[in-house]
Amino acid sequence: MGMTWSESDGVLEREFVFADFASALKFLNRVGDVAEKIQHHPDMFLYNYNQVRVSLSTHDQKKITEKDYFLAEKIDDILKDF
């Protein structure tokens, strides 16, 4: 599902494609729950009813940090349920 994480211009990004809107929305909510717990918030975009783009960057440093790699790992773990 989707590609692997890519790094460009200080952003770690990945695209995801789900079976339907409900699955994409459930994924977004699960990522949001984890992000809130660790207090590191990604940019997330749901489009074409079943596609999600997640962008990670440490906004105050304007670059990718260990926080972003950590959240990417957590997102990969969430993905295993889909």
Side-chain angles (χ1 to χ4, degrees):
M1 172 181 311
M3 60 183 177
T4 59
W5 292 97
S6 64
E7 294 183 31
S8 180
D9 297 323
V11 176
L12 189 61
E13 191 167 70
R14 186 170 176 184
E15 300 268 339
F16 304 90
V17 179
F18 296 92
D20 51 36
F21 178 80
S23 297
L25 190 57
K26 181 178 177 183
F27 174 77
L28 277 176
N29 285 323
R30 297 235 353 243
V31 170
D33 289 343
V34 169
E36 189 63 19
K37 285 179 187 170
I38 66 173
Q39 289 298 297
H40 191 61
H41 305 102
D43 292 331
M44 299 188 289
F45 180 54
L46 171 61
Y47 62 101
N48 289 341
Y49 87 89
N50 70 334
Q51 294 177 267
V52 174
R53 180 182 311 127
V54 178
S55 300
L56 305 171
S57 179
T58 302
H59 301 291
D60 60 350
Q61 296 185 35
K62 296 185 172 119
K63 65 179 184 177
I64 301 167
T65 66
E66 288 304 313
K67 290 179 181 181
D68 302 300
Y69 293 115
F70 179 77
L71 183 52
E73 287 178 22
K74 295 294 184 187
I75 292 169
D76 289 345
D77 288 342
I78 291 169
L79 190 60
K80 293 174 187 174
D81 293 338
F82 289 85

